[in-house]
Amino acid sequence: MQSSNGPARGSEHGSDSSGEHGQGVGRATVQAPGDVRYEDPWYDALASGWGESGTLNPPLTEVPAARRRRADGADATAQVYVEVQRSEAFQEVRSRYRRFVVPAVIGFFLWYVAYVVTATTAPGFMARPVWGAVNVALVAGLGQFLSTFLLTWAYSRHARLRRDRPALELRWDTQELTREARGGAA
């Protein structure tokens, strides 16, 4: 552990010692290819080489070719996802999802609001006994829990029967297209 009273360790690596409490965390001036210099705000002098390097300016290396290819592959991968999002299969899966969720949310919300509004505006009705000490408010409140469980069951059933298979096929197709875009084996 570094003492907070000592000098910042990062100062020997070209970083400003602008870290808090002398912890050596600051910006580093980095030399990029083509005589371009920029300050790296995420540079941590303590974590970069552990601050014990004997050289003042480590030699700069060029970006490996594999990383350059990966940047091109990332663009191709992004294009694959845009194409998948625009595809008929994806739109069908989203449509099936919306056709279930939108009416279910609206119905459940209306049922909840009706319960709250009735409880606040018609306390006499909610206090009406149904059976012994059980009144309308208790039955409606338990109905809220029951409807939550029923809605969860209906959603999982709908997903299993109407969306899971097409979504899984779309996922496999997307992974295959992404692999091809990155230059991997198909």
Side-chain angles (χ1 to χ4, degrees):
M1 179 177 269
Q2 179 182 356
S3 167
S4 62
N5 296 334
R9 291 174 130 184
S11 60
E12 64 201 35
H13 294 290
S15 69
D16 300 348
S17 57
S18 61
E20 297 177 13
H21 307 293
Q23 293 295 319
V25 178
R27 294 179 178 220
T29 303
V30 179
Q31 180 84 25
D35 291 334
V36 177
R37 298 176 70 85
Y38 65 93
E39 288 195 9
D40 184 3
W42 300 106
Y43 178 78
D44 185 355
L46 296 176
S48 64
W50 300 84
E52 302 297 329
S53 174
T55 62
L56 291 177
N57 292 321
L60 296 174
T61 58
E62 194 172 317
V63 176
R67 286 191 183 170
R68 280 195 300 259
R69 274 196 318 261
R70 228 181 293 154
D72 296 340
D75 293 340
T77 302
Q79 187 60 34
V80 166
Y81 283 104
V82 169
E83 290 174 17
V84 167
Q85 183 180 10
R86 293 178 182 157
S87 72
E88 184 74 29
F90 182 82
Q91 295 303 322
E92 180 62 26
V93 169
R94 294 297 295 169
S95 166
R96 289 178 182 182
Y97 170 77
R98 287 186 191 114
R99 281 194 304 252
F100 179 84
V101 169
V102 171
V105 167
I106 290 171
F108 188 79
F109 183 72
L110 289 175
W111 159 231
Y112 173 75
V113 169
Y115 171 71
V116 172
V117 168
T118 305
T120 57
T121 59
F125 172 72
M126 295 298 265
R128 190 174 294 167
V130 174
W131 180 68
V134 177
N135 60 14
V136 173
L138 185 60
V139 170
L142 292 174
Q144 290 286 316
F145 284 103
L146 179 63
S147 64
T148 302
F149 291 118
L150 286 174
L151 186 59
T152 303
W153 170 80
Y155 176 81
S156 64
R157 182 175 185 272
H158 179 269
R160 187 181 72 243
L161 295 177
R162 307 250 193 258
R163 290 193 331 265
D164 285 353
R165 186 171 306 272
L168 186 60
E169 290 171 2
L170 190 61
R171 176 182 174 196
W172 281 109
D173 293 343
T174 304
Q175 287 179 349
E176 185 176 316
L177 290 171
T178 303
R179 220 176 280 121
E180 289 172 6
R182 289 182 182 159

